[in-house]
């Protein structure tokens, strides 16, 4: 359990300036030792804090903290669709929301965490992110149909991400099957979808999304593929509240279309942003085999179509990993 003062203090330090132990103690009406203890807890969570005798404490850089009102106002008119919960710290927003979904959480519940310490990625990977490095959230969407009808869902979510990135000024984003978002073949965002319910319905999807905001070099070195972030792409600190609001709006639109017409209606748009269309690729199978071919595109159900020496083969998202000869 994190000390209850840790995140309130971090919110004061979010301006990136020095705050003396004494001023913080006065502000929170506690002793300087209590402030020190709370910041020790922050360090235990991997948050770097500079502490300089005579000047106080500061974060390495300013951070824009999450704020529910700012998220809602960025969603705009569709804000009433969503039930947004902002958390300071969770191990994984997907794990948290999967549990909550199983005990009846409302449709369109969005869980967002300022700090996620055990973020999960596809194929058993971790999603690495310290405070302010990444926007990490999960959205619960309940479907009348069963899990069997959701095969193209992860690709549909990729389309929502591209629309949102376009709206906030990132035009060069592309999609890598099934659903990574790349800019210049470097990963900007990842999607992890977990399903609950029956094959014939109803079912529920927990849609987890991580977007790199500002990756420090030491974190980039721990990521096992080329990665980029919003700061590098725009030269600015983009407000995570703004991105989340814009994204939720597009997610809502895309999910409603998907519910009605399936992936089919979004397929052309997906292909327009496809980073590997007609490109040579290697596919790594769960059993370690490797297959080579050229990507023909995706089917109406989101299946990847690859031209191989044995003819066109179809792959469903599952555990397959796609590698381009470029990235
Ligand atoms: C991938 O690229 O492998 C998918 C990464 C998904 C990461 C997000 S961050 C929010 C949500 N909670 C998690 O534990 N994972 C997803």
């Amino acid at each position: 359990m994190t000390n209850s003062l840790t995140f309130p203090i971090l919110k004061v330090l979010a301006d990136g300036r020095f705050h003396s132990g004494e001023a913080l103690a006065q502000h929170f009406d506690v002793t300087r030792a209590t402030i020190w203890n709370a910041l020790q807890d922050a360090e235990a969570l991997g948050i770097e804090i500079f502490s300089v005798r005579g000047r106080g404490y500061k974060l390495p850089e300013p951070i824009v903290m999450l704020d529910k009102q700012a998220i809602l106002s960025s969603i705009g008119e569709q804000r009433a669709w969503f039930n947004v919960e902002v958390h300071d710290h969770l191990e994984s927003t997907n794990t948290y929301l999967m549990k909550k979904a199983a005990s009846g959480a409302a449709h369109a519940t969005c869980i967002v965490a300022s700090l996620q310490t055990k973020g999960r990625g596809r194929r058993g990977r971790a999603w690495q992110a310290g405070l302010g490095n990444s926007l990490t959230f999960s959205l619960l969407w309940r479907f009348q149909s069963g899990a069997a009808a959701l095969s193209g869902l992860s690709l549909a979510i990729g389309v929502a991400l591209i629309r949102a990135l376009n709206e906030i000024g990132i035009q060069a984003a592309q999609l890598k099957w099934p659903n990574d978002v790349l800019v210049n073949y470097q990963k900007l965002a990842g999607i992890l979808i977990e399903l609950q319910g029956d094959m014939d319905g109803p079912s529920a999807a927990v849609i987890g999304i991580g977007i790199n905001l500002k990756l420090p070099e030491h974190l980039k070195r721990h990521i096992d593929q080329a990665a980029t972030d919003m700061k590098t792409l725009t030269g600015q600190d983009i407000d995570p509240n703004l991105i989340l609001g814009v994204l939720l709006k597009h997610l809502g639109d895309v999910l409603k279309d998907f519910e009605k017409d399936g992936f089919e209606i979004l397929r052309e748009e997906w292909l327009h942003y496809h980073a590997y269309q007609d490109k040579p690729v290697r596919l790594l199978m769960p059993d370690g085999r490797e297959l080579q071919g050229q990507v023909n595109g995706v089917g109406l159900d989101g299946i990847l179509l690859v031209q191989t020496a044995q003819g066109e083969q179809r792959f469903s998202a599952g555990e397959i990993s796609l590698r381009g000869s470029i990235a």
Side-chain angles (χ1 to χ4, degrees), residues 84-146:
V84 177
E85 258 186 41
V86 178
H87 291 251
D88 289 329
H89 169 220
L90 287 176
E91 288 195 339
S92 152
T93 56
N94 258 45
T95 308
Y96 180 89
L97 190 50
M98 281 294 274
K99 280 200 198 121
K100 220 174 143 84
S103 52
H107 173 67
T109 293
C110 169
I111 302 293
V112 58
S114 296
L115 178 67
Q116 190 182 243
T117 40
K118 279 196 189 153
R120 295 186 287 112
R122 283 182 63 239
R123 305 172 60 247
R125 290 180 169 158
W127 180 264
Q128 316 260 12
L131 187 70
N133 299 153
S134 180
L135 169 63
T136 51
F137 72 97
S138 303
L139 175 65
L140 172 66
W141 206 261
R142 296 191 180 277
F143 295 90
Q144 284 310 314
S145 59

Side-chain angles (χ1 to χ4, degrees), residues 10-304:
L10 288 171
K11 281 169 195 158
V12 175
L13 298 186
D15 64 6
R17 302 211 181 117
F18 272 109
H19 293 263
S20 71
E22 199 175 327
L24 289 168
Q26 243 175 40
H27 180 83
F28 290 102
D29 198 17
V30 295
T31 65
R32 280 188 303 173
T34 305
I35 298 290
W36 186 83
N37 275 329
L39 290 177
Q40 289 295 107
D41 276 20
E43 290 192 338
L45 290 172
I47 300 167
E48 195 182 1
I49 292 166
F50 297 150
S51 159
V52 177
R53 194 180 285 273
R55 299 196 70 187
Y57 304 100
K58 97 185 254 313
L59 291 174
E61 288 187 63
I63 289 177
V64 182
M65 295 298 270
L66 292 172
D67 173 72
K68 184 168 169 174
Q69 283 320 313
I71 297 167
L72 293 177
S73 80
S74 157
I75 300 175
E77 281 173 14
Q78 286 107 312
R79 82 189 65 168
W81 293 356
F82 299 95
N83 164 32
V84 177
E85 258 186 41
V86 178
H87 291 251
D88 289 329
H89 169 220
L90 287 176
E91 288 195 339
S92 152
T93 56
N94 258 45
T95 308
Y96 180 89
L97 190 50
M98 281 294 274
K99 280 200 198 121
K100 220 174 143 84
S103 52
H107 173 67
T109 293
C110 169
I111 302 293
V112 58
S114 296
L115 178 67
Q116 190 182 243
T117 40
K118 279 196 189 153
R120 295 186 287 112
R122 283 182 63 239
R123 305 172 60 247
R125 290 180 169 158
W127 180 264
Q128 316 260 12
L131 187 70
N133 299 153
S134 180
L135 169 63
T136 51
F137 72 97
S138 303
L139 175 65
L140 172 66
W141 206 261
R142 296 191 180 277
F143 295 90
Q144 284 310 314
S145 59
L150 304 183
S151 67
L153 176 64
S154 65
L155 283 79
I157 300 304
V159 170
L161 261 146
I162 293 277
R163 287 186 189 170
L165 290 168
N166 283 346
E167 184 175 330
I168 53 182
I170 294 184
Q171 309 295 341
Q174 288 188 300
L175 293 164
K176 174 183 167 187
W177 183 89
N179 54 17
D180 283 353
V181 178
L182 311 179
V183 178
N184 302 325
Y185 292 93
Q186 297 176 324
K187 184 159 168 172
L188 173 65
I191 302 166
L192 173 71
I193 298 184
E194 297 180 288
L195 301 178
Q196 281 179 8
D198 295 325
M199 286 313 267
D200 350 298
S203 58
V206 169
I207 301 158
I209 299 182
I211 303 183
N212 296 326
L213 294 174
K214 186 157 66 170
L215 297 178
E217 275 313 313
H218 69 86
L219 193 62
K220 266 195 183 167
R221 281 196 293 274
H222 280 97
I223 302 178
D224 56 0
Q225 59 188 306
T228 190
D229 57 43
M230 300 289 285
K231 171 86 188 207
T232 309
L233 294 170
T234 63
Q236 290 168 27
D237 283 317
I238 302 230
D239 180 348
N241 301 297
L242 170 88
I243 308 177
L244 179 55
V246 172
L247 247 165
L248 285 174
K249 189 177 67 180
H250 287 291
L251 282 167
D253 285 342
V254 160
L255 283 161
K256 280 170 190 241
D257 284 348
F258 180 86
E259 270 173 330
K260 204 155 53 73
D261 301 313
F263 173 64
E264 207 173 324
I265 192 170
L266 300 159
R267 179 170 167 268
E268 279 305 311
E269 196 174 344
W270 195 94
L271 286 172
H272 179 73
Y273 292 106
H274 186 192
Y276 290 94
Q277 186 64 33
D278 302 322
K279 296 229 161 48
V281 292
R282 290 181 299 129
L283 290 166
L284 308 182
M285 305 295 155
D287 61 6
R289 272 184 314 133
E290 190 179 307
L291 216 123
Q292 298 199 355
Q294 180 170 315
V295 181
N296 285 342
V298 293
L300 295 177
D301 47 4
I303 281 202
L304 181 74

